[in-house]
Amino acid sequence: MNLTCNSTLEDMRIVTEEKIAGPLTFHQLALIIAGAGTIVAYLTSFYLMWRHALNYTKPNEQRHIIRILFMIPIYATSAFLCIWYYWHAVYFQVLSDCYEAFAIASFFALMCHYVAPDLHEQKDFFRNMRPVKPWVWPVNWMAKCCGGERGPWRTPHSGLTWFNIVWIGIYHYCFIRVAMTITAVVTQYFERYCESSNSPVFAHIWVIAIECIAVTIAMYCVIQFYVQLREPLGEHKPFLKVLAIKLVIFLSFWQTIAISLGTSTLHIVNPNAVLSYPDLKVGIPSLMLCVEMALFGILHLWAFPYAPYVENAKTSFYPVPDPSMGVPPRENEHGPKMGGFLGLKAFGDALNLWDVIKAFGRGMRWLFVGVKNRRQDSSYQTKPNNVDTSYPMKPYGASRPGLKSTDHLPIASEFRRSTFGLPKAPGDPVPEESAGLITHAQPNPASPPRRDPSPYLNPAQAQFHDDPSPPRTYMPYDDARGDIGASSAQYEYDPNEVYNSQGGRTAGWNEPQLAARPGQRSSTQVRVGNALWGNRSQQGGTR
């Protein structure tokens, strides 16, 4: 096995090369073009960063925007130095690629702060997010082939679990990139990196493979996050932002890989008198990056504008997790300018990466600890907001699969109309006695007695009851949750419970109903008795 790298640092030096344009060789011409592109990238990027720093009214968002904008001059500078110093190109490449991970993490954090101002409110948003869209290709295809809803590639039912998975998929890339950068620098120092070789005995192919997997996962999570929230975050133009980030990463990484394979493995292009090996391996991809960074610097003027952050700018709003909740969006308010003198404080805030380190630690803690207890979160529980409160009311859980409805049975419909006073046809008015339940309802515990005592009853005379149990003193209806028609009334009840109309009360719907005892009057007998002699339960106790 050959353990010697097929290119040394001396081979990376250019000795003789034919002219390509007048008195200029390819290396000299590449330096001129790359220098011009780097200057354009600097002017556009630092101008936009400076405008954000002067109008630093939303630090939680603009901190990440400045970090994203820094990617352009860093990449342009790295590419220009790679052309200038061919034999030290590996150090500049890995350092610029390392910043790529922080740019992706900053973009994800920016999208999260468009959703809510801090992490706790972001978790509440995703906890209540409905619906959770399926994974995009190819994970959705893998889910169909590997167990469906029970397989490892299933879409989480909880929006918070979905958010944590995307969180880890993005922030893990920061750790992988830094680790691979250190590995590349150390192995290059000990001459075990060998960028010009794809042999497995050198570190270059392993570093590239690990980085390829990590960046693919991170970008997939960014795209999944965009697909889920592109409509709620439409006012922030997320597509243009995703395009600006994805193209920079795609071109900087994959075109370098393609040129490396074409020159070192497939030998599509070979060195000649005009283009030496360093020109093919380092010069061409670096020159392309310098030109591309100038174009992306111009694109960022539209993708990350500073106009929404100036004073008296148009007000933006935080999205709501579920439009069916009917909750109005909350205003994303501007604060005072906090950039400091000439925006220097804003630049210092953006260069502080401690929040990225904490975010990575939070992701690892959930991956190894929190994932085991994720089903205890409230997002996995049935929410009472899912109850259909339209009139006429339907039994709880009637819309769930597996439960049979009786709406198509004429006898059942007639029973509901006669029992609950519902209209005979959809357009008919509600009977007066049914509407009175809502119209004249009072909040408890100040509700008056439900019915005035009958003037025909003598209080001194003993009363007789069908129930053999002794009479009980009537207590005013008291329920801390309110009565029917009260604005704060909320009732919880079991969908498997057998309903009946005995007792005449609305509280305690979640309590099990007892079967009628022998000798106890049926519901029909109770209604007939109340119609003839009045509601005698007010004096004799509720049955």
Side-chain angles (χ1 to χ4, degrees):
M1 181 179 292
N2 185 12
L3 300 180
T4 303
C5 183
N6 58 8
S7 177
T8 63
L9 293 179
E10 294 298 327
D11 294 334
M12 298 293 289
R13 300 180 185 272
I14 301 175
V15 180
T16 59
E17 191 176 26
E18 293 184 1
K19 305 295 188 293
I20 190 175
L24 301 176
T25 63
F26 175 83
H27 183 238
Q28 295 169 338
L29 181 62
L31 281 175
I32 295 174
I33 299 176
T38 302
I39 292 175
V40 175
Y42 264 70
L43 292 177
T44 55
S45 298
F46 277 102
Y47 167 75
L48 187 56
M49 284 188 285
W50 181 62
R51 297 295 292 182
H52 274 284
L54 293 180
N55 298 278
Y56 206 57
T57 56
K58 296 181 181 180
N60 290 335
E61 299 177 9
Q62 292 175 279
R63 174 193 306 121
H64 303 292
I65 292 178
I66 294 177
R67 291 175 182 173
I68 295 171
L69 298 177
F70 255 119
M71 180 173 60
I72 300 300
I74 288 177
Y75 266 80
T77 302
S78 171
F80 180 78
L81 292 177
C82 285
I83 300 176
W84 189 277
Y85 301 102
Y86 272 161
W87 54 94
H88 294 310
V90 61
Y91 298 107
F92 303 121
Q93 288 175 353
V94 296
L95 291 177
S96 62
D97 292 343
C98 181
Y99 189 81
E100 171 191 302
F102 295 99
I104 295 177
S106 298
F107 174 78
F108 172 70
L110 175 63
M111 296 293 104
C112 290
H113 282 90
Y114 283 155
V115 168
D118 55 62
L119 178 59
H120 295 290
E121 295 192 28
Q122 291 166 13
K123 292 167 64 177
D124 289 338
F125 175 91
F126 290 102
R127 180 179 286 115
N128 298 287
M129 183 178 65
R130 294 292 184 276
V132 179
K133 295 183 179 179
W135 298 112
V136 297
W137 189 88
V139 174
N140 57 351
W141 178 81
M142 297 168 63
K144 295 178 182 179
C145 301
C146 303
E149 292 298 325
R150 295 185 178 182
W153 306 103
R154 64 185 181 275
T155 302
H157 296 287
S158 168
L160 184 58
T161 299
W162 177 90
F163 173 62
N164 287 326
I165 293 174
V166 174
W167 182 287
I168 294 173
I170 292 175
Y171 278 106
H172 90 285
Y173 183 48
C174 297
F175 173 79
I176 296 296
R177 261 299 189 183
V178 173
M180 292 299 101
T181 298
I182 296 175
T183 301
V185 172
V186 172
T187 54
Q188 174 69 18
Y189 178 80
F190 290 101
E191 299 182 356
R192 302 308 302 167
Y193 185 72
C194 194
E195 185 183 12
S196 60
S197 174
N198 292 324
S199 173
V201 300
F202 299 107
H204 175 253
I205 186 63
W206 298 106
V207 170
I208 292 297
I210 295 174
E211 288 180 349
C212 178
I213 296 173
V215 72
T216 301
I217 294 174
M219 290 307 302
Y220 179 87
C221 292
V222 168
I223 294 174
Q224 182 68 38
F225 194 83
Y226 162 74
V227 170
Q228 178 71 43
L229 297 173
R230 59 183 171 185
E231 294 179 359
L233 300 180
E235 63 175 331
H236 299 287
K237 300 179 180 178
F239 175 76
L240 191 58
K241 291 178 170 60
V242 169
L243 185 66
I245 292 292
K246 185 175 177 60
L247 287 180
V248 171
I249 295 172
F250 177 84
L251 295 175
S252 64
F253 184 80
W254 290 107
Q255 74 184 10
T256 303
I257 298 298
I259 294 175
S260 176
L261 292 175
T263 56
S264 299
T265 304
L266 302 179
H267 300 286
I268 298 176
V269 180
N270 296 314
N272 51 54
V274 177
L275 295 175
S276 62
Y277 183 81
D279 293 332
L280 296 176
K281 185 70 176 180
V282 179
I284 292 179
S286 299
L287 176 61
M288 294 173 62
L289 272 181
C290 287
V291 176
E292 290 162 358
M293 291 306 108
L295 299 178
F296 283 117
I298 299 174
L299 177 63
H300 282 182
L301 295 174
W302 285 271
F304 302 97
Y306 69 91
Y309 300 98
V310 300
E311 294 180 348
N312 302 322
K314 180 181 177 181
T315 303
S316 60
F317 296 89
Y318 294 113
V320 294
D322 186 359
S324 63
M325 296 173 61
V327 179
R330 189 169 46 136
E331 182 178 350
N332 187 354
E333 299 178 351
H334 290 77
K337 295 182 179 180
M338 304 175 62
F341 177 72
L342 296 178
L344 297 180
K345 185 178 179 180
F347 282 100
D349 188 24
L351 295 177
N352 183 7
L353 300 178
W354 178 243
D355 59 312
V356 179
I357 299 175
K358 292 192 298 182
F360 172 76
R362 175 193 175 274
M364 293 300 101
R365 182 182 61 185
W366 184 87
L367 180 62
F368 294 104
V369 179
V371 68
K372 301 176 183 178
N373 303 320
R374 67 186 186 279
R375 294 191 177 275
Q376 299 179 6
D377 188 77
S378 59
S379 59
Y380 279 92
Q381 310 301 323
T382 302
K383 296 178 173 56
N385 294 333
N386 295 335
V387 179
D388 187 2
T389 58
S390 60
Y391 186 84
M393 294 183 66
K394 303 176 181 63
Y396 177 73
S399 60
R400 296 187 303 174
L403 297 181
K404 297 181 179 180
S405 174
T406 59
D407 293 342
H408 63 285
L409 300 178
I411 187 172
S413 301
E414 183 61 30
F415 174 77
R416 283 190 290 269
R417 293 191 188 99
S418 60
T419 304
F420 302 107
L422 302 180
K424 296 183 179 298
D428 295 345
V430 180
E432 183 179 354
E433 58 271 18
S434 299
L437 292 174
I438 303 299
T439 306
H440 302 291
Q442 299 291 334
N444 285 303
S447 298
R450 300 189 174 215
R451 187 178 185 128
D452 295 331
S454 174
Y456 302 102
L457 295 179
N458 186 0
Q461 184 179 357
Q463 305 297 325
F464 299 95
H465 305 273
D466 295 336
D467 193 344
S469 60
R472 291 168 290 178
T473 305
Y474 171 74
M475 299 297 295
Y477 179 83
D478 187 5
D479 184 5
R481 293 175 296 180
D483 199 355
I484 296 179
S487 59
S488 61
Q490 295 184 358
Y491 306 104
E492 300 178 358
Y493 43 89
D494 189 354
N496 300 320
E497 182 183 340
V498 178
Y499 298 99
N500 58 59
S501 57
Q502 299 185 30
R505 57 180 189 154
T506 56
W509 284 10
N510 57 346
E511 299 174 1
Q513 302 293 332
L514 300 177
R517 294 173 295 181
Q520 187 177 4
R521 296 187 299 168
S522 65
S523 59
T524 304
Q525 292 173 333
V526 171
R527 288 198 298 273
V528 173
N530 290 343
L532 295 177
W533 300 291
N535 190 355
R536 300 171 66 182
S537 62
Q538 296 183 5
Q539 289 79 21
T542 303
R543 288 178 290 278

